Amino acid sequence: MDARGGPLSDESIPTQQLPASARPGLVGSLLADRFMIESLIGTGGMASVYRATDTALGRTVAVKLFRADGSAAEPERQSGEIALLASLNHFALVTLFDAGTAMVDGVPRAFIVMELVDGPDLRARIEGGPLPSLDVAVMGADLAEALHYVHEQGIIHRDVKPANVLLATSGFPGRSMHAKLADFGIARLLDETRLTATGSLLGTASYLSPEQALGGAIGAPTDVYSLGLVLLECLTGLRAYPGTAVESAMARLQRQPEIPNALGRDWIEVLAAMTARDTADRSTAAEASLLLRALATETEDQAVATLVLPASTGSDAAPTEVLTADPAPKPKPATAAVSWKQTGTKPAPATRSRRTILWTMAATLVVAVIALGALFLRGGAEPAVVPPNYPAVDGTLGTHLEQLQKSVNP
């Protein structure tokens, strides 16, 4: 079967090709004497989803009605599986309310009743182009956490794909949506033996794990691989393994998914670990969730840092000075003086130690001035001048010398 006609496909089927129970004519009927079918939401290869009202509780729900080739398992086992799946409670899971069988056009049909998520699925969102890296990281972390939660309950999804990821509107600032994974445990509610009796694989070809493609044992690593392919498609807008069911299944056995270098080293490492061919080398759901959460935080921090950086006002804008607890040594005075004259920028104010030196120099200058003042004040009382004592000279010369000495004495 090709990608549009068989259980491997999640592509929509034209209305004219749908079985009678999946056509809009079913709208307005009461399913199982309780669920009033209001409108057709979407349809795929295995089932159709309707918007309905639970007349017993008066709430709006989503009813997924499976095609006749997906018959219900025996009622005893089904009731036990319903109880198990209905007990799951996680913010990234679509809540299962009920399940059962109903007669539609004389044919027994299996159906499940789920929480109605009023938003598009991830497949429709990807059709609009690649998603922002931050949104993908946050969504991936939530979905991987949900996978870890159900794996701990012993449940494997088996069919993780964009069409099974529903996007609920978020009212929280900065977050546009919440991702919820739908159709958990569908394989447990349906008759797996009948589904696989003709050699068909339960799952969608583009997102099968290597072990699913080989028909090997399926476990928790299968869901992690499929989620890795979903996240890769979110980032690139392209399926890693397109083509028909056979082409897509065989391609993953021949090559690893191509992860563009443009996504960056962190994304390459996370996606490569999630899509490792050997299950022993593959990340667990818990590990993937932690890695994606860290990646989301790092991406968000980078975005915030970009927003708070001041815009440059031109080449004249002064660089931001970073202050540290242990500042670098101050430049020598000569170097600082040259820098000031060359750049026209006045040196920074003196530090405390420099101010101390200046105050000491000023005090010393004051003391020197006071000392000089005192010296000049004492200069008013000049010491007595002792007249020179010339040797005695006889005659007229001696007389003249004596007169000269008297004339110069004070």
Side-chain angles (χ1 to χ4, degrees):
M1 289 179 283
D2 63 21
R4 295 180 63 85
L8 291 175
S9 174
D10 63 349
E11 300 291 341
S12 297
I13 298 176
T15 302
Q16 61 269 23
Q17 298 179 15
L18 294 175
S21 59
R23 294 176 187 170
L26 191 62
V27 174
S29 62
L30 190 64
L31 184 70
D33 297 326
R34 177 176 176 177
F35 304 101
M36 178 59 66
I37 306 300
E38 297 177 358
S39 61
L40 177 65
I41 297 176
T43 185
M46 292 179 59
S48 298
V49 181
Y50 295 89
R51 183 186 185 97
T53 297
D54 183 345
T55 58
L57 299 177
R59 65 183 175 188
T60 303
V61 296
V63 174
K64 187 163 191 174
L65 185 64
F66 292 92
R67 296 175 62 181
D69 55 0
S71 62
E74 62 275 11
E76 295 79 7
R77 185 173 72 86
Q78 187 188 64
S79 61
E81 301 298 348
I82 293 172
L84 174 61
L85 296 175
S87 68
L88 299 177
N89 182 19
H90 191 276
F91 67 90
L93 292 180
V94 174
T95 304
L96 174 67
F97 294 141
D98 200 356
T101 58
M103 295 299 294
V104 178
D105 294 335
V107 178
R109 305 295 298 279
F111 70 90
I112 61 174
V113 183
M114 306 174 291
E115 165 193 6
L116 178 66
V117 178
D118 193 10
D121 60 36
L122 185 58
R123 178 183 58 183
R125 176 64 181 82
I126 294 175
E127 289 176 354
L131 279 67
S133 176
L134 177 58
D135 289 350
V136 177
V138 172
M139 176 180 63
D142 290 348
L143 295 177
E145 183 180 321
L147 285 173
H148 168 72
Y149 170 73
V150 297
H151 291 166
E152 290 294 300
Q153 312 301 317
I155 301 173
I156 309 302
H157 192 289
R158 298 171 178 254
D159 196 19
V160 178
K161 59 186 178 183
N164 280 339
V165 177
L166 306 183
L167 304 178
T169 302
S170 172
F172 189 77
R175 187 166 185 177
S176 60
M177 62 184 180
H178 287 291
K180 287 178 172 286
L181 189 56
D183 284 0
F184 251 108
I186 296 303
R188 300 173 66 118
L189 289 175
L190 302 180
D191 187 351
E192 296 180 57
T193 302
R194 178 168 181 176
L195 283 174
T196 58
T198 60
S200 300
L201 297 174
L202 183 62
T204 304
S206 295
Y207 310 98
L208 290 178
S209 65
E211 56 270 24
Q212 280 178 299
L214 289 172
I218 296 175
T222 294
D223 290 342
V224 175
Y225 184 94
S226 298
L227 178 59
L229 293 185
V230 170
L231 299 182
L232 178 58
E233 184 176 342
C234 288
L235 293 168
T236 63
L238 302 172
R239 291 187 181 184
Y241 298 109
T244 65
V246 174
E247 291 171 346
S248 180
M250 292 301 297
R252 76 206 60 233
L253 301 178
Q254 299 172 356
R255 63 176 177 85
Q256 288 294 96
E258 297 177 3
I259 306 174
N261 292 330
L263 296 180
R265 183 186 64 181
D266 291 341
W267 268 115
I268 292 175
E269 292 178 353
V270 172
L271 294 176
M274 294 180 69
T275 57
R277 181 174 300 179
D278 190 339
T279 57
D281 298 331
R282 204 173 297 164
S283 299
T284 64
E287 292 169 344
S289 180
L290 292 174
L291 290 173
L292 289 164
R293 195 79 67 191
L295 187 55
T297 301
E298 180 181 354
T299 304
E300 189 171 23
D301 289 344
Q302 291 174 351
V304 171
T306 301
L307 289 176
V308 300
L309 285 176
S312 176
T313 56
S315 58
D316 295 333
T320 302
E321 181 179 358
V322 179
L323 301 178
T324 60
D326 185 15
K330 296 290 182 179
K332 295 181 180 180
T335 304
V338 171
S339 175
W340 176 22
K341 293 177 181 179
Q342 290 178 344
T343 64
T345 303
K346 189 175 181 179
T351 60
R352 183 175 180 180
S353 59
R354 185 178 298 178
R355 289 196 299 268
T356 303
I357 294 173
L358 291 177
W359 277 110
T360 303
M361 293 176 62
T364 303
L365 181 60
V366 170
V367 172
V369 169
I370 293 174
L372 289 175
L375 180 60
F376 281 113
L377 289 175
R378 287 197 304 269
E382 295 182 1
V385 180
V386 180
N389 186 15
Y390 299 108
V393 179
D394 295 333
T396 303
L397 178 58
T399 302
H400 289 168
L401 287 175
E402 185 178 354
Q403 294 175 349
L404 177 60
Q405 183 176 351
K406 290 179 181 181
S407 64
V408 299
N409 284 340

